Amino acid sequence: GDSVTQMEGPVTLSEEAFLTINCTYTATGYPSLFWYVQYPGEGLQLLLKATKADDKGSNKGFEATYRKETTSFHLEKGSVQVSDSAVYFCALEGGGNKLTFGTGTQLKVEL
Amino acid sequence: SQTIHQWPATLVQPVGSPLSLECTVEGTSNPNLYWYRQAAGRGLQLLFYSVGIGQISSEVPQNLSASRPQDRQFILSSKKLLLSDSGFYLCAWRTLGSYEQYFGPGTRLTVT
């Protein structure tokens, strides 16, 4: 079945540091890939998406590129802020109207 | 614009008591609806999803059930809660042809 593997957290960075959160997936066919963000005490919000190979999703300074050859969708940001502190979830949709989520990576950004 | 409501926001229930969590969506019609659970330190687990009134698909056998009595209403229930039912329950919706799922604010359930 479909699965998503994320790097374990928490990830702790200083403000303005470079961020990478790794995500790899296993799926049949050509899934769509997503990053969701969950701020403390809230539900999830879609951060960015990519629907086919080599697509780059971007939003709020975050980027991720759909790499079919390495089955990866790593999240990056060049300069993180304290307000980026949250839990980040990688997810895929392989069909059937369902999302498969990774376990989430907690990001803490300190001054 | 579309909005999604969940209530209650927090709930503390004793073991063996019943449960009813409600989710409603506004501003859209015939959405796909989803219930997820997020246990402490774990990712999201899809519990149920529905593509229409009265149509429920269960992803994981468990102590919970779901119903969709109206197009934009999705209810999660249990007859007798277990300690392992504690967690953060999230409702979500999406429209046909859309990639994005929109999540509600969640319900924090603690079973004591």
Side-chain angles (χ1 to χ4, degrees):
Chain A
D2 296 344
S3 66
V4 176
T5 302
Q6 286 181 241
M7 62 187 291
E8 291 190 15
V11 174
T12 303
L13 296 174
S14 299
E15 204 170 39
E16 300 183 0
F18 185 86
L19 168 72
T20 299
I21 300 178
N22 290 338
C23 170
T24 57
Y25 67 89
T26 302
T28 56
Y30 303 96
S32 295
L33 302 173
F34 306 85
W35 278 100
Y36 279 82
V37 59
Q38 184 180 31
Y39 297 102
E42 299 183 9
L44 275 70
Q45 304 171 27
L46 179 66
L47 181 60
L48 53 84
K49 68 178 185 290
T51 58
K52 61 182 187 296
D54 300 324
D55 269 2
K56 178 185 285 187
S58 61
N59 186 25
K60 300 180 181 179
F62 291 89
E63 293 183 339
T65 301
Y66 189 142
R67 301 288 188 196
K68 185 172 181 297
E69 62 277 11
T70 56
T71 62
S72 64
F73 193 53
H74 305 322
L75 182 67
E76 296 181 337
K77 186 174 185 181
S79 176
V80 294
Q81 306 299 312
V82 172
S83 58
D84 293 326
S85 298
V87 181
Y88 292 82
F89 291 90
C90 186
L92 71 82
E93 182 179 89
N97 299 306
K98 297 181 291 183
L99 285 172
T100 299
F101 284 89
T103 53
T105 302
Q106 184 175 10
L107 170 65
K108 298 179 181 178
V109 181
E110 302 173 335
L111 290 172
Chain B
S1 63
Q2 303 93 344
T3 56
I4 180 168
H5 303 280
Q6 277 188 254
W7 63 91
T10 60
L11 190 60
V12 180
Q13 292 283 100
V15 169
S17 64
L19 173 73
S20 181
L21 301 181
E22 188 164 344
C23 170
T24 59
V25 181
E26 296 178 358
T28 187
S29 58
N30 197 31
N32 289 350
L33 296 173
Y34 305 83
W35 277 112
Y36 292 88
R37 177 170 60 203
Q38 185 178 23
R42 301 182 63 182
L44 276 78
Q45 180 184 38
L46 178 63
L47 302 176
F48 301 95
Y49 72 96
S50 171
V51 298
I53 295 174
Q55 300 179 62
I56 308 295
S57 296
S58 175
E59 290 296 296
V60 182
Q62 60 213 316
N63 183 42
L64 303 169
S65 62
S67 62
R68 185 171 177 174
Q70 300 179 43
D71 181 45
R72 289 169 288 177
Q73 184 184 30
F74 205 23
I75 297 172
L76 183 69
S77 304
S78 173
K79 293 182 179 179
K80 289 186 177 182
L81 284 169
L82 306 172
L83 286 174
S84 58
D85 292 323
S86 294
F88 191 47
Y89 288 82
L90 290 160
C91 181
W93 70 273
R94 64 175 280 187
T95 54
L96 190 65
S98 168
Y99 292 106
E100 183 171 357
Q101 286 192 19
Y102 299 90
F103 285 80
T107 295
R108 175 80 55 193
L109 172 66
T110 303
V111 182
T112 59

